[in-house]
Amino acid sequence: MTERMREIGRGLAATVALLVLVVGLPIGLSAGVGWPLPRGLPTWSEVGDALGGSTVSDTALLKALACACWLVWLLVVASTMEELAAWGRGRSARRLPGGGALQPLVRQLVMTATLLVAAAKSTSAPASSLPPVVSAAAVMTEISEQAAPTQAPAEPALPSCLVEPRDSLWKLAEDHLGDGMRWREVWELNRDRAQVDGRVFTDPNLIQPGWELSMPSDAVGLGPRVPTADSPLPPVVPPTPPVTVPPTTATTTATTEVPAVDADALDAPDPEVGAADDSDFEVVPLLAGAALVAAGVVISVDRLRRRQLRHRPADRSIRLPGQAERRVEVSLRRAADTGGYSRLDLALRNLSHQLRAAGDNERPRVDVVSVGPAGIEILLDRATDAPAGPFDVAASGRAWTLPAGVDDDLLEAIAREESGPVPALVAVGTVDDRTVLLDLESSPCTVLNGDPSDASALLWTIAVDLATSNRADDIDLVLIGDVPPGLDALDRVRRVGQVSDVLDELELQVRSTQTLLAADGHEVAFDARLAGHGDGMAPTVIVVDAQGGTDDGVGRLLELAGQQAGLAVVLTGEVDAPDRELCVEDDTLIVKPLGLRLQPGALPEDVIAAAAGLVSAAADPGGEGRSDSIDLRESTTSPDITVEYDGEGRPTVPDGHVLVRVFGGVEIFGGARPIDRRRCIELVVYLALHPDGVDEERLREALWPEDNPSRSAFNETVSRARRCLGHDPTGLPHVRHMKRGLYQLGPYVHLERGPEGLYGAPPGTGSVPFQGCRGYEWAYTEGIAYALEAPAEADSRSA
């Protein structure tokens, strides 16, 4: 209260000072001096006498001084109006001509005087009356920050705020602290802090859009600061016993120090970026929230294609997707978080191992999971004293975090012997840069409502996620309603007409599961999976699009799901008292009863349809008798070379030759020196796969799919690739200079071939072209990736 009175006192003093300058000064000048300018024009003799100093009266001097005061008053008024307008807009004021030292003085008076406005607002609307906005990260952080009784509580992460256009410290304090006078607290928290654009925050009147500012811990309407890959992860609370591992890996797990993973180094082969390597591989905004779902689709389609190629008739080519589906496949590959997809599965199986080691009769269940760049967070529904293993554990055993630095090899040693504990875990949305997942089995009846089209999009996205998830060893996915055509081509998916068609079967399944659970003393299927009964505990998930109304079997279906015997239902439409409700409206998803507010992770309707089409095409075993297959022949002038491989599958290339590898990742062997730019590598690969040459327009469209590069960027890319590859034995550059409007490689650049001379996977490289590579979208839009896979499978069969 004393500090509040001081702030009000300073505000009153500044207000009085402004009133004296703006109002009192002109009143005083008018009363004491009057009109300062002469009533008429002086004669030339009077001007001469005045300049000579012989006839200047005291009155004239006083009026001249009054004129100067009037000019100062005008500048004060202009500065006050500009500062007030800037404060109202939440922006910094413009510097006025002639303002000099006067405008900063007026600015300080205005900022101090406006404290009175905040005092009035805070009296009528205290901060406690502001409705808090709850995010998934806030809920998980709040729980994870609860320390064990015997331990000192961990330092909580301060919430952070991203500065938007028109923001000011005052506005941020008013919006998130309920009191503009608290802008000084925000200033003190962030003073002299370097921001992402390289600037240092040294002026409280000047903040820039895009800056991230720490806020006091009682700020509302903000999520907590999400740790980056470089920020320290919370400490393990409380200390936990050592991890229990199988005998073959116990020593390794106990003694090996886990190295940190440099995610940026894994993302791209080039260590430096230049003008020719400006990024144009941003994730399609509509898919950014469905990165794990996109990864599941991409990995499932690749797996189906490999099976399709192995079993196709010898005289038929595989069925290729249509042009629209190819474009969507490119977008899905851009958005796919394949690393998070595989690592989440490892985390869950390792969690299963640790929970089983606790030996609890009533084991906790998975409540909420989030996947982000700093690690994977798993929130359990109750505390446990299970050994931590590779996890950081907090909140008395409820919050489990797998840091990004834990090596996958250590996780796989345990995961390969574990069942998937939560096969019905699905991604529903995002908060900040984290994907949030919920377990459908933990709340057997999940209802989606809100905008009908948004609810349906999320429903079928959940169905796609379940159909392609690696978190389930097996799952019986039953789809009812307007199912996207082709999705039922996946093994675990079946489509039925209405709920009543499967009720009798589901009743038998629930009864059988209950018998198995009772025999082993378990309450729910989750406990049985932890105990090792994963083979008999594959859940059934019923997905029902009931926007047009439900049939008579829905009530009976929900009763079966409520028995917690491996059956879960997710549907749209009206249902009384659901276990969980997902309300989606435009860009907001509210999860009830948890109160989480997320950005929905739904795929657009056309993307869902195209994804189902990709699945359908890849699952077709018959193939097509196509005559327009991609021609991947080499130039007829290309000399033959003999390539030898070492024990790790790396080739030895004769001097003067260059070998281009596209399977198991992209690599270029030979040449004058290694190519250190990703796009230069892609240019060489593109030309190697188009031996007859391509024109500049086609090169631009392939290498810069969403941008038109400058002449400088294009020239640098071609020239740098030419310098790095060097010259062939004839003295000509491997990357030929443009001739007849075409760019082309010389005959001493070769595509790596399989054992029978076909383009295929050489020893030890696998059979997936462009695996793990960023870019190369043209390989899918032009159908080259599919054509490459066919001879690769032929090579593997012949070998």
Side-chain angles (χ1 to χ4, degrees):
M1 182 59 71
T2 302
E3 181 61 27
R4 175 63 58 85
M5 295 305 296
R6 290 199 197 99
E7 296 285 355
I8 293 176
R10 284 195 290 265
L12 283 171
T15 303
V16 171
L18 279 175
L19 289 175
V20 169
L21 288 173
V22 176
V23 179
L25 182 59
I27 292 176
L29 289 173
S30 299
V33 181
W35 181 253
L37 299 176
R39 302 291 181 179
L41 293 175
T43 63
W44 285 110
S45 60
E46 291 174 335
V47 172
D49 292 340
L51 293 176
S54 60
T55 61
V56 178
S57 63
D58 293 340
T59 302
L61 290 174
L62 184 61
K63 288 184 178 290
L65 181 60
C67 287
C69 290
W70 278 108
L71 290 175
V72 172
W73 176 80
L74 289 174
L75 189 56
V76 169
V77 172
S79 297
T80 303
M81 298 298 293
E82 174 62 26
E83 295 296 334
L84 286 173
W87 173 74
R89 295 193 303 266
R91 303 179 64 180
S92 298
R94 296 173 298 141
R95 184 180 296 277
L96 296 179
L102 185 60
Q103 188 176 0
L105 175 62
V106 173
R107 177 185 302 136
Q108 188 61 42
L109 289 174
V110 169
M111 290 185 64
T112 309
T114 50
L115 295 175
L116 290 176
V117 179
K121 286 189 175 182
S122 60
T123 302
S124 59
S128 59
S129 66
L130 297 176
V133 179
V134 183
S135 68
V139 170
M140 298 188 73
T141 301
E142 178 181 355
I143 295 174
S144 64
E145 287 171 354
Q146 299 173 5
T150 58
Q151 299 290 330
E155 181 90 14
L158 290 175
S160 61
C161 176
L162 192 66
V163 177
E164 303 288 347
R166 306 173 69 86
D167 275 349
S168 66
L169 293 185
W170 185 284
K171 184 174 183 296
L172 294 176
E174 242 181 9
D175 291 348
H176 303 297
L177 301 175
D179 188 349
M181 287 194 301
R182 298 182 62 186
W183 68 270
R184 295 179 188 275
E185 298 177 37
V186 183
W187 162 240
E188 292 298 334
L189 281 174
N190 297 277
R191 171 184 286 182
D192 297 328
R193 176 174 296 172
Q195 296 293 331
V196 292
D197 58 1
R199 305 186 195 183
V200 178
F201 189 15
T202 57
D203 185 355
N205 300 303
L206 183 63
I207 59 177
Q208 299 293 335
W211 284 10
E212 184 183 24
L213 302 180
S214 296
M215 299 292 288
S217 58
D218 60 338
V220 297
L222 297 171
R225 174 176 299 158
V226 178
T228 63
D230 300 324
S231 62
L233 288 157
V236 177
V237 180
T240 52
V243 60
T244 305
V245 295
T248 56
T249 60
T251 303
T252 303
T253 305
T255 60
T256 302
E257 182 176 350
V258 179
V261 176
D262 185 355
D264 293 334
L266 298 177
D267 190 36
D270 53 335
E272 49 183 297
V273 177
D277 287 279
D278 51 334
S279 174
D280 57 8
F281 291 97
E282 298 297 326
V283 172
V284 179
L286 290 175
L287 305 186
L292 295 180
V293 181
V297 173
V298 168
I299 291 173
S300 297
V301 168
D302 285 346
R303 182 174 61 249
L304 286 171
R305 283 180 182 152
R306 288 192 292 272
R307 185 174 68 181
Q308 182 185 49
L309 289 164
R310 285 194 298 270
H311 298 290
R312 67 182 174 88
D315 59 342
R316 302 178 72 85
S317 63
I318 64 172
R319 175 185 160 194
L320 300 182
Q323 285 293 336
E325 292 161 347
R326 293 186 195 182
R327 286 194 294 270
V328 168
E329 181 176 0
V330 168
S331 298
L332 289 170
R333 290 183 182 276
R334 280 195 195 182
D337 179 12
T338 53
Y341 176 85
S342 59
R343 194 165 176 84
L344 174 59
D345 179 54
L346 294 177
L348 293 171
R349 294 175 191 270
N350 275 262
L351 175 71
S352 175
H353 177 81
Q354 300 308 127
L355 293 181
R356 185 171 65 254
D360 297 334
N361 291 329
E362 294 185 5
R363 294 185 176 93
R365 298 188 60 179
V366 173
D367 200 359
V368 181
V369 177
S370 73
V371 180
I376 296 172
E377 298 177 5
I378 304 173
L379 186 67
L380 305 179
D381 64 351
R382 66 173 71 99
T384 179
D385 59 355
F391 296 89
D392 289 342
V393 182
S396 301
R398 285 197 63 191
W400 292 61
T401 300
L402 180 67
V406 179
D407 189 77
D408 282 356
D409 290 340
L410 300 179
L411 301 174
E412 289 172 354
I414 294 176
R416 67 168 57 99
E417 301 298 329
E418 295 292 329
S419 300
V422 277
L425 187 71
V426 294
V428 296
T430 60
V431 57
D432 298 324
D433 57 353
R434 305 186 67 82
T435 300
V436 178
L437 302 95
L438 303 173
D439 181 19
L440 296 179
E441 276 189 285
S442 65
S443 298
C445 174
T446 300
V447 174
L448 279 62
N449 58 32
D451 181 84
S453 59
D454 292 338
S456 287
L458 183 57
L459 178 81
W460 294 121
T461 301
I462 289 174
V464 171
D465 191 8
L466 290 168
T468 59
S469 168
N470 62 343
R471 302 177 287 278
D473 300 332
D474 191 22
I475 193 171
D476 184 14
L477 182 59
V478 180
L479 307 181
I480 303 172
D482 190 13
V483 181
L487 194 59
D488 51 351
L490 290 165
D491 293 339
R492 62 176 61 164
V493 179
R494 54 184 172 135
R495 178 178 180 177
V496 300
Q498 55 186 0
V499 174
S500 55
D501 294 341
V502 292
L503 280 177
D504 292 341
E505 173 190 343
L506 293 176
E507 282 189 341
L508 290 174
Q509 176 185 319
V510 167
R511 193 178 306 131
S512 173
T513 302
Q514 288 176 327
T515 301
L516 179 59
L517 291 173
D520 292 333
H522 300 302
E523 291 187 358
V524 294
F526 179 80
D527 294 339
R529 293 189 195 105
L530 293 186
H533 291 297
D535 61 325
M537 290 297 162
T540 298
V541 180
I542 313 296
V543 176
V544 184
D545 188 359
Q547 297 283 6
T550 58
D551 60 42
D552 297 336
V554 169
R556 188 172 158 202
L557 174 65
L558 298 181
E559 290 179 4
L560 290 173
Q563 298 182 35
Q564 297 275 338
L567 175 63
V569 179
V570 55
L571 73 164
T572 58
E574 297 296 329
V575 173
D576 294 334
D579 299 296
R580 181 190 287 132
E581 185 177 356
L582 305 181
C583 183
V584 55
E585 293 284 353
D586 298 327
D587 60 349
T588 302
L589 171 66
I590 303 175
V591 181
K592 303 176 182 179
L594 294 178
L596 305 184
R597 298 178 70 91
L598 312 171
Q599 180 177 350
L603 295 170
E605 182 180 351
D606 59 335
V607 174
I608 295 174
L614 288 169
V615 167
S616 177
D620 183 1
E624 299 175 349
R626 298 175 62 91
S627 59
D628 57 343
S629 58
I630 306 296
D631 183 10
L632 296 179
R633 60 182 174 81
E634 282 198 288
S635 171
T636 55
T637 60
S638 176
D640 293 331
I641 60 171
T642 300
V643 178
E644 296 182 356
Y645 293 88
D646 61 19
E648 297 180 354
R650 299 188 66 81
T652 301
V653 183
D655 292 341
H657 294 257
V658 174
L659 190 67
V660 177
R661 169 179 290 178
V662 296
F663 285 89
V666 170
E667 290 184 88
I668 296 178
F669 303 96
R673 58 189 175 93
I675 302 179
D676 57 358
R677 299 290 176 86
R678 174 191 54 78
R679 209 182 304 275
C680 295
I681 295 174
E682 190 172 354
L683 178 140
V684 172
V685 174
Y686 189 82
L687 293 179
L689 287 163
H690 298 79
D692 293 331
V694 295
D695 59 28
E696 179 177 327
E697 181 179 1
R698 189 171 175 185
L699 263 181
R700 285 173 172 265
E701 290 178 354
L703 271 62
W704 289 270
E706 291 187 350
D707 190 18
N708 184 23
S710 66
R711 168 56 56 187
S712 173
F714 179 84
N715 288 348
E716 181 188 352
T717 300
V718 177
S719 177
R720 193 178 185 90
R722 183 179 293 120
R723 286 200 314 272
C724 290
L725 287 192
H727 295 75
D728 63 23
T730 67
L732 294 175
H734 286 294
V735 180
R736 298 289 200 248
H737 291 280
M738 185 176 65
K739 186 176 182 181
R740 294 189 299 274
L742 298 178
Y743 288 92
Q744 193 173 15
L745 296 178
Y748 290 86
V749 180
H750 317 270
L751 273 173
E752 194 170 29
R753 293 170 176 251
E756 296 299 321
L758 298 170
Y759 295 110
T765 61
S767 59
V768 179
F770 311 104
Q771 185 173 11
C773 294
R774 179 176 153 208
Y776 301 92
E777 300 174 356
W778 46 267
Y780 299 93
T781 57
E782 295 182 15
I784 290 177
Y786 318 119
L788 283 168
E789 289 182 357
E793 293 298 337
D795 285 355
S796 64
R797 288 198 300 267
S798 63

